Amino acid sequence: MCGIVGYMGSQDAVPVIMNGLKMLEYRGYDSAGICTMDSGDVEIRRSPGKLVNLERLLKEQPMRGTIGIGHTRWATHGKPTVANAHPHKGGSVVVVHNGIIENYLALKDELSEQGHIFISETDSEVISHLIDEKMDSTGSFEEAVQQALKMIQGAYALCILSKKDDKTLIVAKSGSPMVIGIKGNEYFIASDMPAIISNTREMIIMEDGEMAVFRNGGVKFSTIYGVEIAKEPRYIDWSPLKAEKNGYPNFMLKEIHEQPQAIKNVVAGRLLEDEGNVFLEELHLNDEELRSFERLCFVACGTSWHAALMGKYLIEEYCRIPVDVEIASEFRYRDPLVSGKTLVIPISQSGETADTLAALREAKNKNAHIVSICNVIDSSIARESDGVIYTRAGLEIGVASTKAFTTQLVALYLLTIRLGRANGSIDLKKGQEMIAALSELPAMVEKTLELDLQIEEIACEYLTSWDAIYLGRGISFPIALEGALKLKEISYIHADGYPAGEMKHGPIALIDRDMPVFILAPNDRHLVKVRSNMEEVITRGGKVVALCSEGDFETGKRADFTLHIPWAGEALSPVLFAVALQLLAYNFAILKGKDVDQPRNLAKSVTVE
Ligand code: M6R
C-alpha cells in the first residue's frame, strides 16, 4: 500500500512528483524514492524514512527531467532500507510498484539463473528485471511490459520507465488503484486523485488489466493483452481539502477537536424531523426495496470494523434485521453466504482498503446489493458501490482514525432510522426521538473534550504500564475494542478489549496491580452487571478507571479514577465514550513522546492484502 506518482510533460518532474508524494504519505512512510529520465540519463534518489529525508537528499543531489516516477513505501517484503526503497532498477528498466507480487520468488529464481542480479529483498524488483529480460527478446518496451505482466501473479499499480525507450512512460494496474490526470499534453499519474488534483481535474480511472503508454505528448490505452481501448476523462468537481494543523501541535489532536463539526456535517440536510425519518437519497433504495433484504452484512477492517460492530447492535436492536459483521480479509476467502437478498455494507474511511474492496467485489459477484459508508469521495469503494453514505468527516490525516470513526457511528445511526422507519420497527414517535437526540450530540462531544486534563492525569498515572484492558458490555463493547486499538497503535502499549462478562473466562488471569483496566460503564441497561465485573477486577488488585455517565456517583466509588461522560442515550453515548478514549490514547502517546500522526509500521490507507 504504497503511494506512486508519475509525470510526463513540459515541467520539471521533481517538484510535481514530490508534491504528489506529500499527498500520498498516508499510504506509507517507510521510505521514498524518485527517478527522472533526462535525454536518456536515468537518475534515481532513494531515502529510508519519511519523505522529508528524500527532500533533504534532493537538495544535496538535485536531479532534473520532464519524465519521472516517484514512490512512498509501506514495507511488505524487505526492511525499510535504501536498497529496498523504490524505484527499482533491473537492467534498463525502472519501476515503482504498489501491491504484492505473489510469485516473485519463482520469477526471481528464474531470472537469477538468466544472470540478473538482485540487490533488494523486495517482491517489486523482480518486475523491472522481468521487463528488462522481455525487452531483450521483443525489442519493444510496450510488448515487454505486456509479456511480463502476463507472468505476474498478485496485485500491482506500476509506473515504468526504460533507458532504452527514453521518451516513454508506461503505467499498468491490476488490483491496486491508479488514476491519470490530463492537462493538454501533460500527464499526471497517481495512486489517488488528491495527489494530482491540484494540477488538473480531468481524470481517467484505470481499471484492472489495463495499461497506458505515454509517448510524444499522447497516450494510448490498451489491455495488458494489447487490445486497444478508448477511455474518456471525467471532470472531478470536488475540491481537494488542505491539510493544515490550524494551530494544533499535530493532526490527530486537530481531528479529535473537529468532531463536533464533523458530526454536524454528517447529519446536515439529512434529518426529516417531522417525519421522524432521515433523507438518504444516496442509498438509491425505496422503502419497499429496503424491506426486501433478508439480512445485512457489514464488511470492514480495523476501526471501521469496530464501527460495523456498533452498527449491528443498533440495527438488530431498533430494526430487528439480522446483521453479520465480517472482517473483510476473512470474508473474501470463505465463499460467503450472501445473495441478492443481502444488503452488503462495506465501511471504510479511505474507500481504498484492499481487503474491503475485494470483499465488496466478492459480494457483488454473488449479486448482493452494495451500499457503502465511506469518507473519501470518489474512492474505489465509493465508485464500485450501488449507493454510498458519505460520512463527510473531511480530510483525516492522522493515521489513527478519530473523526472518521465517530462520523461512521453517526452514519450508522442514520441508517438505522432509515431502515427502521422503512420496515415499521421504528414508529413516528421513536423516529422523532432518535432524531431529536442527535441535535445535542455535537455540544456533548465538546463537553467530553473538556475532560482532557483529567484524562491526561490518568495517562500520567499509568504511563509505565506495558498492558491495558478495556471492558464494555452491549453497545459499549465495540467502543472498548476501539479504545484498545487507539492505545496500541499510537502509544505502542499492548491493550485488549473484551466484553466485560468474558473476563472471568480467561483474561482475568492477567489482572494484577500493574494492569490498568478501563471500564466503560454508561448508564444503560448493563450498568449493574458492569459494576459486578468492576468488582471482580478490584478484588484481584487491578487498577480501575471507570468511565461512567454524568450524574452517576455510585459506579466509580471504588475505582482508582472516574471519568464522567455526558449521557446522550444508549444509542449515541458510545460516540462520547469513543472521544474520551481517543483523548486517553492521545495523552499516553504524547507523554511517551511518540509521533501520533505517523505511528511506526502503519499507513493510513491499506491497499495491500
Ligand atoms: O480506510 P479504512 O477505514 O478502510 O481503514 C481500515 C483500517 O485500516 C483503519 O480503520 C485502521 O484500523 C485505523 N488506522 C485505526 O485507527
Side-chain angles (χ1 to χ4, degrees):
M1 58 215 194
C2 311
I4 61 182
V5 179
Y7 174 75
M8 182 184 255
S10 49
Q11 300 182 52
D12 192 1
V14 173
V16 177
I17 292 170
M18 289 303 285
N19 284 339
L21 290 180
K22 273 182 205 154
M23 298 299 291
L24 290 181
E25 218 180 0
Y26 66 87
R27 285 176 166 268
Y29 37 79
D30 286 334
S31 65
I34 187 164
C35 169
T36 55
M37 185 86 84
D38 189 22
S39 314
D41 280 342
V42 172
E43 293 242 37
I44 296 178
R45 305 279 182 270
R46 303 184 293 181
S47 219
K50 297 181 181 165
L51 203 55
V52 62
N53 297 344
L54 179 64
E55 273 182 312
R56 223 171 279 137
L57 182 66
L58 284 167
K59 273 196 189 121
E60 289 161 15
Q61 300 172 26
M63 52 202 274
R64 37 176 309 201
T66 52
I67 305 177
I69 57 181
H71 189 270
T72 176
R73 177 169 188 243
W74 185 80
T76 59
H77 297 60
K79 293 195 178 104
T81 58
V82 176
N84 290 330
H86 298 223
H88 290 291
K89 187 164 179 290
S92 70
V93 176
V94 185
V95 298
V96 290
H97 168 224
N98 172 30
I100 292 179
I101 305 304
E102 287 164 356
N103 59 337
Y104 82 102
L105 283 175
L107 292 170
K108 195 170 176 175
D109 284 349
E110 218 174 285
L111 287 159
S112 298
E113 273 171 29
Q114 289 162 342
H116 289 261
I117 295 168
F118 289 83
I119 57 160
S120 81
E121 306 155 294
T122 66
D123 54 325
S124 309
E125 189 186 359
V126 83
I127 306 168
S128 55
H129 288 274
L130 186 58
I131 297 171
D132 183 60
E133 181 66 28
K134 297 291 170 198
M135 275 190 86
D136 284 347
S137 52
T138 62
S140 149
F141 185 19
E142 194 177 328
E143 265 179 58
V145 171
Q146 285 167 1
Q147 287 199 8
L149 293 183
K150 281 180 219 156
M151 295 173 68
I152 283 173
Q153 289 160 16
Y156 57 79
L158 294 166
C159 285
I160 316 158
L161 296 173
S162 169
K163 204 174 153 67
K164 290 186 184 158
D165 189 347
D166 65 353
K167 302 268 181 299
T168 302
L169 167 61
I170 298 183
V171 310
K173 161 199 152 62
S174 181
S176 303
M178 178 81 99
V179 293
I180 294 166
I182 301 183
K183 189 176 162 194
N185 291 337
E186 274 189 299
Y187 298 97
F188 305 84
I189 300 125
S191 313
D192 245 341
M193 290 182 198
I196 51 176
I197 200 168
S198 59
N199 300 295
T200 178
R201 288 174 170 275
E202 297 288 337
M203 301 271 184
I204 289 182
I205 293 153
M206 299 282 287
E207 302 297 337
D208 284 352
E210 292 180 352
M211 57 187 272
V213 180
F214 303 89
R215 188 180 282 139
N216 299 330
V219 56
K220 183 181 88 181
F221 292 97
S222 70
T223 68
I224 63 163
Y225 295 97
V227 180
E228 280 200 39
I229 45 176
K231 287 186 79 76
E232 286 303 316
R234 51 184 271 221
Y235 184 80
I236 301 301
D237 58 5
W238 47 266
S239 291
L241 296 162
K242 277 210 179 127
E244 278 165 3
K245 290 187 190 152
N246 295 344
Y248 285 93
N250 49 58
F251 285 106
M252 183 178 180
L253 191 62
K254 176 186 166 237
E255 287 156 7
I256 288 175
H257 281 266
E258 279 172 347
Q259 291 177 107
Q261 186 57 48
I263 289 169
K264 285 181 194 160
N265 294 347
V266 66
V267 300
R270 286 172 166 166
L271 303 184
L272 303 169
E273 286 90 349
D274 293 345
E275 293 167 42
N277 208 338
V278 296
F279 181 65
L280 286 178
E281 190 193 28
E282 52 272 59
L283 292 179
H284 304 305
L285 291 167
N286 61 30
D287 282 5
E288 196 188 331
E289 286 163 331
L290 282 173
R291 280 195 296 270
S292 72
F293 296 113
E294 286 169 356
R295 41 194 280 274
L296 263 57
C297 176
F298 287 111
V299 288
C301 302
T303 288
S304 297
W305 183 74
H306 297 153
L309 269 183
M310 152 120 174
K312 175 182 170 76
Y313 278 93
L314 285 176
I315 292 167
E316 289 192 340
E317 164 92 17
Y318 292 100
C319 312
R320 311 307 296 159
I321 306 171
V323 179
D324 296 317
V325 179
E326 300 274 358
I327 290 188
S329 55
E330 295 290 322
F331 175 84
R332 56 183 296 197
Y333 289 114
R334 56 174 188 77
D335 197 7
L337 292 168
V338 296
S339 69
K341 294 264 177 210
T342 317
L343 177 60
V344 170
I345 308 181
I347 305 184
S348 175
Q349 185 288 128
S350 61
E352 299 295 345
T353 300
D355 287 317
T356 311
L357 184 59
L360 178 160
R361 289 175 179 162
E362 175 71 24
K364 229 176 176 181
N365 285 340
K366 291 178 178 287
N367 298 321
H369 190 88
I370 316 284
V371 168
S372 58
I373 297 181
C374 271
N375 188 37
V376 176
I377 299 172
D378 259 340
S379 54
S380 302
I381 290 174
R383 287 198 311 267
E384 295 192 24
S385 302
D386 300 305
V388 193
I389 305 176
Y390 281 116
T391 50
R392 304 174 181 167
L395 189 62
E396 192 179 68
I397 301 278
V399 164
S401 231
T402 53
K403 59 176 181 170
F405 178 62
T406 47
T407 51
Q408 285 169 349
L409 299 184
V410 176
L412 286 161
Y413 184 83
L414 297 179
L415 180 64
T416 303
I417 298 174
R418 180 73 188 90
L419 289 167
R421 292 295 284 134
N423 75 5
S425 49
I426 297 177
D427 62 18
L428 174 66
K429 187 163 168 283
K430 182 70 190 162
Q432 287 170 335
E433 278 169 20
M434 288 180 80
I435 286 173
L438 269 172
S439 63
E440 302 298 319
L441 193 62
M444 288 184 174
V445 174
E446 297 275 11
K447 222 170 155 199
T448 308
L449 292 170
E450 287 166 16
L451 295 172
D452 192 35
L453 275 180
Q454 285 178 58
I455 292 175
E456 187 185 359
E457 198 189 327
I458 296 169
C460 276
E461 177 69 22
Y462 300 114
L463 201 57
T464 53
S465 304
W466 288 99
D467 306 279
I469 288 181
Y470 288 67
L471 300 179
R473 271 181 183 256
I475 203 164
S476 294
F477 166 54
I479 308 301
L481 290 177
E482 175 60 9
L485 176 61
K486 284 288 90 81
L487 188 69
K488 275 186 275 217
E489 66 182 336
I490 59 169
S491 75
Y492 318 143
I493 296 172
H494 168 249
D496 279 323
Y498 296 102
E502 270 294 293
M503 274 295 276
K504 52 190 173 295
H505 299 289
I508 203 162
L510 295 167
I511 300 297
D512 62 19
R513 64 196 163 85
D514 297 320
M515 173 71 85
V517 183
F518 301 100
I519 302 188
L520 280 63
N523 192 14
D524 63 15
R525 73 188 93 159
H526 304 288
L527 183 57
V528 177
K529 303 280 178 215
V530 173
R531 281 185 187 158
S532 305
N533 300 135
M534 189 184 300
E535 284 304 323
E536 291 158 9
V537 174
I538 293 169
T539 305
R540 286 159 182 84
K543 301 289 176 209
V544 166
V545 178
L547 287 87
C548 314
S549 293
E550 229 170 35
D552 173 3
F553 297 105
E554 196 53 40
T555 305
K557 265 188 180 156
R558 300 212 323 118
D560 297 276
F561 285 91
T562 307
L563 275 176
H564 286 104
I565 316 279
W567 173 244
E570 194 160 317
L572 287 175
S573 286
V575 173
L576 306 174
F577 279 70
V579 171
L581 295 182
Q582 291 164 0
L583 283 174
L584 184 69
Y586 175 82
N587 277 290
F588 268 107
I590 292 294
L591 288 166
K592 281 178 162 284
K594 306 297 180 204
D595 179 345
V596 291
D597 286 341
Q598 294 187 324
R600 72 183 182 203
N601 304 340
L602 292 174
K604 183 75 185 155
S605 181
V606 183
T607 58
V608 291
E609 279 190 53

